Amino acid sequence: HLQVQTLLRERLCHQQLPQRPEGVDSQHKHLMELLKRTAVHGESNSVLIIGPRGTGKTQLLRCVLAELLAEEDVDKTLLQVHLNGLLQTDDRIALKEITRQLSLENVVGDQVFGSFAENLAFLLEALKKGDRSSSRPVLFILDEFDLFAHHKNQTLLYNLLDVSQSAQTPVAVVGLTCRLDVLELLEKRVKSRFSHRQIHLLPSLSFSQYLQAVQAQLHLPDTTFPDTTFCYDWNASLKVDKSVEAVLLRHFNSTKDFRSLHRLLMAILCRVSVNNPTIKPADLLDASRLLSADAMTNVLHGLSILELCLVIAMKHLNDIYDGEPFNLQMVYNEFKRFLQRKSNSLYNFELPVVMKAFEHLQQLEVVRPVDAAAAVAARAQREYQLVRLMLDHSQIMEALQKYPQCPTDVKQWAASAFG
Amino acid sequence: MARYLTRNRLRRIYKWGGFPVSHDRKLKTDEYDSLHISLEDLPRTTVITNGQYILIEGVDDDHPYVAKVTKLIESDKKKKALVQWFARVGEVPPNKLKLLGREPHPQEIFYYEGPTCEDEIDVESILNTVQVHQSLLDDVHSDGDDSDEFLPSVKELRSSSDEEEEPQEEEEEEEEEFCARLDSDDEIVAKKSKRGAAAPRTPRSARKSQASMRTPRKTPVKKATPTTPRTPRHATPSIPSRSLPARQPGSALEEARARLHVSSVPESLPCREQEFQDIYNFVESKVMDGTGGCMYISGVPGTGKTATVHEVIRSLQRASDADDVPAFNFIEINGMKMTDPHQAYVQILQKLTGQKATPDHAAALLEKRFSHAGPKKESTVLLVDELDLLWTRKQNVMYNLFDWPTRRHGRLVVLTIANTMDLPERIMINRVASRLGLTRMSFQPYSFKQLQQIIMSRLNKVKAFEEDALQLVSRKVAALSGDARRCLDICRRATEICEHTSLDPGAPGLVGMSHVMQALDEMFSSAYVTAIRCASVQEQLFLRSVLMEFRRLGLEEATFQQVLVQHQALCRVEGLQPPSVSEALAACQRLGACRLLLLEPSRLGVLQRVRLNVSQDDVLYALKAE
C-alpha cells in the first residue's frame, strides 16, 4: 500500500509527465516544430503560450522539451534559461539569473558582478557576438510572462525580442501566461518585435473525457506493479457509479482546472490505508465536501455566541442601511435593542467586552475597516471607526444552521426581517 | 585586368584636321572639326571628331576615364576639347551603385553630370578612341564585332550635390556601351611592344588636376585604431559555440522561410529609396564638410527606420573605404539597451575610445572631446535609437547630444530615431528642441504595394507563394499597421502551415490563400470567445449573472456580492446545486486571471467590484452559440 501511495502521490504532486499530453496535438506539433527549428536550424523565434490556469501550459512545454532533448544533437546544443515573473521581479534580478544560467559569470572571474548597466551591456554583447550558424541556440522560457511586461520600460522583453529579430545568437523566447490580453500590455516597439505567434491552450475536454482522465490518473500499471492481485482489485474499484459521477460532475462544472482535480484525488488517496485498501465512493463524497466547503462559514463556527450576535446585528444594519458602512457603536446599539426585547439578559455584556469581541472579528477579517490607513491614525476612537461586513447573508444563515447548540432566540433574531 | 595604355612610352602628336569651322570672338576660340593624333615615328593616325567617345588619362594606366567629345576648340594657342563625362563602374560610389537595383556589367558606363567636373580638357590627355555601344538587356552576348557588351542601366546616376537636375535628353540618358574589351586591349598591348623605343611622356600635371576635379577625393586618412589594451577583466563574453553547425535550409519553403526572417539582412531596402537618399545626402555632406548636425527620424515600429540608417552607414563606409568620403566613426546607442539615460554617455565614450567611466566623468570627457579641435580628428556619426527613452527631468542628456554637433570643432552628426512624430514638441523643452533643429524625416507606414514589393524582393525569385496569397497578407497588414515585421512573420508562419498541411512532404507546393488565411487567423484573432466557450459551467453561469446584474443596475460595474445573488438564482433555475461563496469566488478569480473580468484586489473578498473586459455582445454570442 505504501507503493500505491508513493506511486500515485508522485503522479499527483510531482506532476510526472505523461507520455504525451492529450487533446493538444496541434499545439504540441506547433511548439515542437518551432523549438526544433531553433535548435537545429538556428532560426530565432518567439511564441506565447496562453491558457487559463491548470490547463497544462507548463506540462506541454516540458513534454516538448523532453522529447526534443531526447534527440542527441539537440541535447548537446540547446541552452536553456528558465525565468519566472514571480521570482525575477525586476530586470536586474532577471539579468543576473540569465547570466548565471548561461554560466557566463565565469568570464568575469570572481569579480563581484557589476552594476545593472554593466550587466545589461555584458549580456547584450554576449548575445550579439553569436551568429546563426555557429553559436549554440538559447531557449528563454518566461513563466508568468505578463509580469515581465510590468518591468520598467520593458527593457528585458525589448532586448530579448530584439535579439530574436536580428542576426545574432539564435534564441527562442517562449512566454507562458494565463492572461488573454497579454499583447495589449506590450509597448508598441516591443510588440512590433514579437512575432505574434500565440498558442492557445483551452480546456476543451468533455465530461466523459474528464472521467477517463480521472481514471487514468488513479490507474495502476498492470505490468510493472509488483502485487498483481492487489493491482487488479484496485483497478476494479475505480468503476464509476452514479454517486461518484454526480460528485465528479459537480467538480467538473465548477472548474476544469487539473490542479484542483489533483487536490481532490489527493484527499481521497490520503484515506487509503491497510484497513481500507481501495477507494470507496464515500471517500470521494467526503473529500469533495471538504474541498467545496465555504471557508468563511467554517470561520464562523469557531465564534462565541457574543461574536455571532454581533455578526447578526451587522447583518441587520446592512439590511437597514443598504450596505453602508457602520461602526461599533451602531452595532452595539442594535445588539442592545435585541437584548431589550428579551426578558432574560443572558448576554448582557459591557461595552469593553463587546469591543474585544469586535476586535477579534476584525482580526478574522469578518469585518474590515473602510479605510485602513485612517483606522491606524484614529486609533483613539475605535468605536466610531467605519467598517464593513465581509460576509454574504447566505454564509451567515448557513453558519447558524450548523452552529452547535445555537440558542433559538438568536436564530430567530437572525431570521427576522426587522432586527 | 585589362591595360589601357601606352601613353608614357610614346610621344603623341596632336594636330587639328583642316581649318577652323567657326570662330568665337568673345571667347577668342576657334572651333575645329577633327583632331588628328599620331604617334611619333609611326604612320598611323587617329582621328577624333565631335560625338566620338575617347579614353582620357586617369589616375593610373589601368583606369582611363571615358568621355564623349562635344566640341574641339583652340583657345590661347592651346588645344582643348569639351567633353561629356561618363563614369565607369569602378568610379561610381557603391552607395549609388545600389540604386541601380541590379548587378552592373564590369564594362558598363554611366552618364555623369556633376558640377564638380570641368568639361574642358586638354587634348593632350586624350589617349585613344573607344567604341561605345548602346545595348538592350537581351542582346548581351550577341555583338558581332568582337566586343563584349555593356548592360544598359535604367537609372542615371547623379552626383550627390545636383539634386534639381533637369531630365536629360533622351539620347544622353540612354545606356551607352563601351567596348574597349579584352581583345582590343590585347591589341593595344601588342602595339605598345612594337613601339617600345619611343621617347617618354606627355606632361601629366594637367591630367592630374583633371582627375581630382572629377571625383573629389581627399587624401586617405588613416583610421585611428582604438587600441586600449583590454584587461582580461573586460574579456568579452560570448555564447559557447555549437558542436555541429546549424543545418542549412533544404527545400524551397525552408529557403523562403530563412529569407523571410526579419533578421536576414536584405540586399537592398526597397521602397525606402527616397529616405535613403535624403539621409545619405545629409550625412555625406556633413562628413565631407567636417561640420555637425542633427536629424530627427520618426515613424511607427517596423517601417525600416533603423534598417535604412544602417544601410546608409554601410554605404558611407564603403565610400570611405574607396576614399570618396573622409573616414568617420560610427557609434550606435539605443535608449532601450541601457538602464538609465545617463548611461548614454558611458556607452558613447566606450565605443569612441574604449574607456570606461562613470556617467558624470564620461559626460565631462565627451564635452572636452567635442569642444576642442584635435589633430586629424575624424567626424563621428552617432545614431540614437529610441530617443524618447533618454528623457530625463532636466533633459540634460538630450541637451548635450544636440548641443555637441553645434560646436565648432564638434564634427558630430547625430541621427535620432523615435516612434512619434511630434516628440520634439511634446516632451522637449525649448532649448533642446531648438538645438535638434528642423531636419526631420518621417517614415510612413508601408502601403500594401510596398509590403508586397518587400516580400518579393526578399524572396528574390524563390517561388514559394501564390500571387494572391501575397496580396492578401500585404493588404491585411497595410490596413492594420503597415509594419513590415508583422508581414514577414505572417508569411513565415504561412510557409510552416503549408509544410504541415501538405499531403506529400516531399513537394509541399506553393503557399496558397488557405494557408495565409490560417496564419492571419492565428495571429490576429482574439481568443476571448473561445475561452468563454471552454470555461466551466459555473464560470459561464457567473459571466451570465454578471451580465444580468449589469442590466439590472444599468451600470457596467457590480460588486461580487450582487453578482452572487444572481448567480445562485441562476443555478436554481438551471437545476444545479448553487456553489458556496468560496467556490463562486474561486470561479470569479479564475475569470479574472485570464482577464475576462477585471477585478479589484482579492483581499476585498465579497465586496470587490467586478467589470467585464470583453464586450457584452461577445459574451452573449459566446454563451448563446452552445
Side-chain angles (χ1 to χ4, degrees), chain B residues 449-619:
Chain B
K449 278 203 176 122
Q450 290 174 319
L451 287 172
Q452 213 170 340
Q453 201 183 334
I454 288 168
I455 306 174
M456 295 299 276
S457 86
R458 285 239 179 183
L459 284 174
N460 193 14
K461 301 209 180 90
V462 174
K463 189 71 187 143
F465 279 84
E466 281 172 19
E467 196 72 22
D468 292 350
L470 275 191
Q471 190 158 24
L472 177 69
V473 177
S474 30
R475 277 188 190 270
K476 186 89 183 179
V477 174
L480 281 167
S481 59
D483 185 338
R485 292 198 187 103
R486 192 77 323 99
C487 199
L488 295 170
D489 281 330
I490 294 170
C491 289
R492 211 150 57 84
R493 176 70 188 134
T495 62
E496 288 167 18
I497 294 174
C498 173
E499 205 169 66
H500 294 163
T501 52
S502 76
L503 301 169
D504 172 16
L510 294 184
V511 179
M513 284 296 256
S514 60
H515 306 124
V516 168
M517 290 291 271
Q518 201 184 329
L520 283 170
D521 250 20
E522 271 179 28
M523 293 197 171
F524 290 119
S525 70
S526 108
Y528 285 119
V529 172
T530 351
I532 295 174
R533 275 185 203 161
C534 289
S536 73
V537 176
Q538 292 291 353
E539 286 159 5
Q540 291 180 346
L541 284 179
F542 191 85
L543 279 176
R544 194 169 290 179
S545 38
V546 168
L547 285 189
M548 284 165 65
E549 188 61 23
F550 281 180
R551 203 163 304 148
R552 190 181 73 84
L553 294 172
L555 294 171
E556 295 277 288
E557 188 179 87
T559 66
F560 173 78
Q561 210 168 1
Q562 290 167 322
V563 178
L564 182 70
V565 176
Q566 298 281 354
H567 189 172
Q568 284 171 336
L570 205 59
C571 280
R572 277 179 216 112
V573 172
E574 298 275 327
L576 294 167
Q577 193 188 344
S580 67
V581 179
S582 293
E583 281 177 305
L585 205 50
C588 174
Q589 294 293 348
R590 277 196 297 272
L591 292 173
C594 34
R595 286 302 189 275
L596 285 168
L597 294 178
L598 296 176
L599 302 175
E600 280 188 307
S602 58
R603 65 187 141 80
L604 292 175
V606 292
L607 298 176
Q608 63 186 314
R609 282 186 295 249
V610 176
R611 296 165 78 170
L612 274 179
N613 196 26
V614 211
S615 80
Q616 299 201 4
D617 294 339
D618 280 358
V619 179

Side-chain angles (χ1 to χ4, degrees), chain A residues 37 39-40 43-44 111 129 134 136 153 158 162 165 189 192 194 197 250 253-254 256 294-295, chain B residues 233 236 240 242 247 261 336-337 386 388-389 483 485-486 492 496 534 536 538 582-583 590:
Chain A
R37 274 202 309 280
V40 178
E43 180 185 304
S44 291
Q111 175 214 4
K129 274 278 161 60
S134 65
R136 293 175 69 174
N153 291 343
Y158 177 91
D162 195 50
Q165 300 247 309
R189 52 189 151 217
S192 168
F194 171 60
R197 284 158 192 269
R250 187 181 139 77
N253 276 347
S254 94
K256 292 176 176 178
D294 188 71
Chain B
R233 205 167 77 90
T236 51
R242 55 194 293 160
R247 214 177 285 168
H261 199 282
M336 280 300 253
K337 293 187 179 172
E386 314 290 1
D388 47 333
L389 266 296
D483 185 338
R485 292 198 187 103
R486 192 77 323 99
R492 211 150 57 84
E496 288 167 18
C534 289
S536 73
Q538 292 291 353
S582 293
E583 281 177 305
R590 277 196 297 272

Side-chain angles (χ1 to χ4, degrees), chain B residues 143-432:
Chain B
D143 198 44
D145 59 17
D146 78 350
S147 48
D148 291 341
E149 305 277 13
F150 293 79
L151 295 177
S153 74
V154 184
K155 269 181 200 162
E156 161 193 2
L157 299 177
R158 297 170 185 185
S159 102
S160 55
S161 36
D162 60 345
E163 283 178 30
E164 54 282 299
E165 185 187 3
E166 297 297 320
Q168 298 301 304
E169 299 162 36
E170 200 189 20
E171 192 207 318
E172 303 210 45
E173 261 183 341
E174 275 168 10
E175 280 318 304
E176 319 283 357
E177 181 189 27
F178 161 35
C179 59
R181 63 231 52 105
L182 279 176
D183 355 19
S184 62
D185 289 336
D186 291 347
E187 203 184 337
I188 294 170
V189 174
K191 277 179 207 157
K192 166 183 151 189
S193 61
K194 272 183 236 157
R195 305 161 193 157
R201 297 258 4 130
T202 42
R204 249 207 265 180
S205 55
R207 205 106 315 89
K208 278 240 167 125
S209 66
Q210 196 64 53
S212 59
M213 268 194 256
R214 279 206 61 191
T215 36
R217 285 172 195 182
K218 303 220 164 130
T219 47
V221 183
K222 244 196 187 170
K223 270 187 194 155
T225 41
T227 50
T228 14
R230 286 198 167 187
T231 58
R233 205 167 77 90
H234 302 143
T236 51
S238 63
I239 303 293
S241 347
R242 55 194 293 160
S243 46
L244 292 167
R247 214 177 285 168
Q248 291 304 311
S251 67
L253 276 180
E254 279 177 19
E255 173 74 28
R257 200 150 54 221
R259 284 170 177 280
L260 287 174
H261 199 282
V262 183
S263 72
S264 70
V265 181
E267 290 111 38
S268 65
L269 285 175
C271 315
R272 288 288 180 234
E273 287 87 4
Q274 187 54 49
E275 285 85 353
F276 174 89
Q277 198 58 52
D278 290 352
I279 300 175
Y280 188 93
N281 292 344
F282 177 80
V283 179
E284 189 193 37
S285 63
K286 299 290 181 203
V287 171
M288 290 258 202
D289 305 345
T291 55
C294 294
M295 184 174 207
Y296 178 74
I297 301 168
S298 65
V300 293
T303 46
K305 303 179 293 294
T306 312
T308 307
V309 173
H310 279 153
E311 196 65 24
V312 167
I313 297 299
R314 269 198 294 277
S315 315
L316 275 170
Q317 260 155 0
R318 274 198 297 269
S320 90
D321 287 344
D323 281 344
D324 292 338
V325 171
F328 62 94
N329 278 326
F330 173 61
I331 296 174
E332 180 181 6
I333 60 171
N334 186 325
M336 280 300 253
K337 293 187 179 172
M338 55 186 75
T339 51
D340 176 87
H342 294 97
Q343 288 295 324
Y345 300 131
V346 179
Q347 294 200 0
I348 295 173
L349 186 73
Q350 198 188 356
K351 286 175 181 167
L352 211 54
T353 64
Q355 270 174 288
K356 273 198 168 187
T358 61
D360 290 344
H361 188 213
L365 286 176
L366 287 172
E367 173 78 32
K368 207 162 120 193
R369 184 186 165 96
F370 289 121
S371 40
H372 295 295
K376 287 208 304 181
K377 197 166 158 189
E378 291 181 358
S379 290
T380 305
V381 179
L382 174 65
L383 169 62
V384 185
D385 216 337
E386 314 290 1
L387 176 72
D388 47 333
L389 266 296
L390 294 186
W391 186 87
T392 51
R393 251 164 64 81
K394 288 174 123 182
Q395 308 200 355
N396 40 9
V397 177
M398 285 188 188
Y399 178 85
N400 276 334
L401 284 181
F402 302 145
D403 191 41
W404 289 332
T406 61
R407 307 284 170 81
R408 230 182 96 211
H409 304 292
R411 304 191 69 151
L412 177 67
V413 184
V414 178
L415 302 171
T416 57
I417 298 183
N419 284 338
T420 38
M421 205 155 88
D422 57 345
L423 190 75
E425 284 74 33
R426 220 151 35 89
I427 69 168
M428 290 183 198
I429 48 179
N430 288 338
R431 62 195 160 101
V432 176

Side-chain angles (χ1 to χ4, degrees), chain A residues 27-75:
Chain A
Q27 288 97 330
H28 183 272
K29 195 173 168 191
H30 187 171
L31 190 62
M32 185 73 194
E33 289 291 325
L34 197 82
L35 296 185
K36 211 178 202 168
R37 274 202 309 280
T38 305
V40 178
H41 293 283
E43 180 185 304
S44 291
N45 274 311
S46 49
V47 67
L48 272 180
I49 306 175
I50 305 174
R53 296 208 183 277
T55 44
K57 301 181 289 293
T58 313
Q59 192 193 47
L60 172 71
L61 183 66
R62 285 171 59 199
C63 279
V64 168
L65 273 181
E67 208 172 310
L68 196 65
L69 292 177
E71 290 181 30
E72 204 179 316
D73 50 339
V74 175
D75 180 28

